[in-house]
Every structure is written in C-alpha cells, then in structure tokens.
Amino acid sequence: MKKIAALMPARNAAGTIAEAVESMLWQEVPSGCHYEVLVLDDGSTDDTSAVLERISAKPHGRRLRVLRNEVNLGVSPSRNRLIEAAADAQYFFVMDADDIALPGRIVAQVEALDAGHDLVGTNVYNFGIMSGERHFSLQRLQHVVLAMIDQRSFCHPAVAFNSKVARIGYRRPLCDYGLLTDVLLAGLDVTNIARPYLMYRVHRGSISNSLDAARVASLRQTVCAIRAGYLAALLGIDSATAESYSDCIERKIFRRESPEDLVVLDGLSARVWQRLGVGVDFRRV
C-alpha cells in the first residue's frame, strides 16, 4: 500500500489552521493509498493546539496526527521533523497553516509523481491582500534557468515530492528556494501542473510582504547566498565569482544596477550559454 503524508508546520495559526487542515483532510485519495495529515505545532503560544484537538475529535480527524515542538525551532527544522515522522511514506505534500488546498490536489499530484516526476507543484490562486491566478513553469530547463534568479518557478506550499526529495530535505533557512536549488543540482525531475490546486493567502504578515526592513534584509541576504551557491555548482565557477554574479542579479531585481553590473551580467549570460547552451539575458531580470 502506497503511503502519502501531508506535512504542515504551524506557529500561532489559530485563526487559519482549521480551514487549512480541513482542506487537506477532506481530499480524495487514490484507491490503495494510506493517507495522513501531519501537523507540527512549532511552539505556538495561542490556541493552535486547542483548534487541532477539536479537529482530531471529529470522525474524519482519524487522518490527523499532531506533533509539537516545545520551543519554536523555525520552518526548515520543523519541516525536516515532519519528514522524519512520516519516514515510511512514498509521497509528501507540503502545506502551510494559512492556505487552503482545493479539491483534487492529492489525486492530481499523485498522478504526476507516479508518472516519474520527483517534485510537482501546481498553479495557485492568490487571496487576501492580493488576488488572481499565478502560473508557474512546466519544463525542467525553465526551472534551472529561473532558479538562477530566485524561487519564482514554484509556489512552495503547493509542492508534492517523492522520497528522493525527502532524503535531501530542508538544509537552509529559506526552505523553498533552498530545496528547489538542491533538487535541481541533484538532477531530479521537477514540473508544475498547469491548474490551480491551492489558494495561497497573501497577507501583510508574510515575510515576503512584510514592512519590517530588518526581516526583508535578512531574507534577501539568504536569497543571495543560496543563489551564489547554486550558480557556483551549476556553472562550475569559484565562490567569489558566483557571489559577484548573485549580487549583481540582486541589484538588477530592485533596479539599483550600475553600468558595471550590466557588464558583469553580460558575462554571466555568456557563461550560461557556454555551460548550458541556453540564451539568458540577465539585463531583463
């Protein structure tokens, strides 16, 4: 029997976690599969634990398994603990405690994983302070190229993966970009389903939308470091050169590039063509 596990870390999510968990508990599952939803309460100080207890008491709550960190460990360590707790599963579904899975998600992504893909995302609907459908890349080469910029080729909470990806795990603080680059460098196959199976909540508390300058600066430093490591491994270049490329890309993203940066980015385009045979104009980032 194939085992499937949905993995959801949660930190002070009492206001949203019921809808998130219920949306995964009520998913249709392919016949012959054992399915459970694992939620890790990462040291919450609100009523997250009480909400989970109420869901567990319901008849369909038999699919729910709740774990707890006594102290807050953070997202990446929590996701790794969830993978360890579901170590006998073949397929793993990422889920955040403030999003909503749409009907058919499990079936669609299991079908794609069964077809031989190692990591499968989907399109998503934004809701909250932003709305609209977001579309993501389908071909592996598109992911390889876009990962030289950032994690824009996937929406991480809409991702499912197999045990090969689970063995890689979350090695970096910025779990979505770090996992993507590690998976690509391992030569694994990645894709997205061109249909939305997740409602992705965009709110001012999201780190990517935070008005806290210190948090944003820390996030961007982590992005730069992951990007530099990826460029070094992908292109076979030294770390200092990779860091220079990464810094130039960062300034270009935020429209703060200098004429000298554009010359450096042209050099990066030449290296990508030489190494991968792909034409990429980094001036248009």
Side-chain angles (χ1 to χ4, degrees):
M1 178 179 289
K2 187 179 297 176
K3 294 187 177 181
I4 303 169
L7 313 177
M8 183 188 303
R11 165 75 174 170
N12 292 340
T16 60
I17 195 167
E19 196 169 19
V21 171
E22 294 279 4
S23 74
M24 292 302 285
L25 288 176
W26 286 107
Q27 288 285 317
E28 179 185 356
V29 179
S31 61
C33 293
H34 176 269
Y35 172 60
E36 66 175 345
V37 177
L38 283 75
V39 178
L40 175 56
D41 182 353
D42 188 21
S44 295
T45 57
D46 66 355
D47 291 333
T48 296
S49 179
V51 173
L52 293 171
E53 286 180 9
R54 289 196 292 270
I55 298 173
S56 296
K58 297 179 180 180
H60 62 280
R62 66 186 184 278
R63 282 180 165 179
L64 176 63
R65 179 151 55 111
V66 179
L67 300 85
R68 180 172 174 81
N69 291 334
E70 293 306 317
V71 296
N72 175 236
L73 297 182
V75 177
S76 290
S78 293
R79 291 198 192 279
N80 284 330
R81 187 183 173 197
L82 285 164
I83 290 173
E84 291 171 3
D88 59 345
Q90 284 77 48
Y91 294 158
F92 304 81
F93 283 73
V94 178
M95 184 68 183
D96 281 354
D98 58 353
D99 297 330
I100 302 168
L102 296 174
R105 177 185 174 184
I106 298 294
V107 172
Q109 289 181 284
V110 165
E111 181 179 346
L113 291 166
D114 282 345
H117 301 293
D118 298 302
L119 186 148
V120 179
T122 78
N123 289 351
V124 304
Y125 285 123
N126 284 343
F127 75 107
I129 65 171
M130 295 174 59
S131 62
E133 183 175 347
R134 292 165 61 194
H135 301 260
F136 297 96
S137 307
L138 302 180
Q139 303 300 320
R140 186 182 190 280
L141 184 57
Q142 293 175 312
H143 295 288
V144 171
V145 170
L146 289 173
M148 288 188 274
I149 303 169
D150 54 28
Q151 69 273 25
R152 65 184 63 185
S153 68
F154 275 106
C155 178
H156 184 253
V159 159
F161 52 79
N162 61 19
S163 56
K164 288 186 284 187
V165 175
R167 284 193 290 272
I168 293 174
Y170 294 91
R171 303 171 180 174
R172 310 171 198 276
L174 189 62
C175 57
D176 50 359
Y177 192 24
L179 180 69
L180 174 60
T181 54
D182 288 340
V183 166
L184 291 171
L185 291 173
L188 299 182
D189 187 78
V190 299
T191 192
N192 280 295
I193 297 171
R195 178 175 172 179
Y197 282 105
L198 185 82
M199 293 183 65
Y200 179 77
R201 190 185 305 268
V202 184
H203 53 86
R204 297 194 185 279
S206 302
I207 188 166
S208 56
N209 292 283
S210 175
L211 300 180
D212 185 332
R215 294 177 72 209
V216 173
S218 176
L219 168 66
R220 298 314 307 179
Q221 288 176 356
T222 303
V223 169
C224 282
I226 293 173
R227 183 195 296 124
Y230 177 67
L231 289 170
L234 183 69
L235 302 178
I237 56 179
D238 62 85
S239 59
T241 302
E243 289 170 7
S244 175
Y245 287 149
S246 181
D247 290 343
C248 287
I249 291 172
E250 187 73 3
R251 289 191 288 270
K252 186 70 177 70
I253 289 172
F254 291 97
R255 303 296 184 261
R256 296 197 296 263
E257 73 277 9
S258 67
E260 292 78 12
D261 287 337
L262 297 179
V263 174
V264 173
L265 292 175
D266 288 343
L268 175 58
S269 296
R271 282 186 181 270
V272 171
W273 174 258
Q274 182 181 34
R275 184 80 173 188
L276 304 178
V278 178
V280 182
D281 184 0
F282 286 95
R283 286 178 176 242
R284 300 181 64 185
V285 169

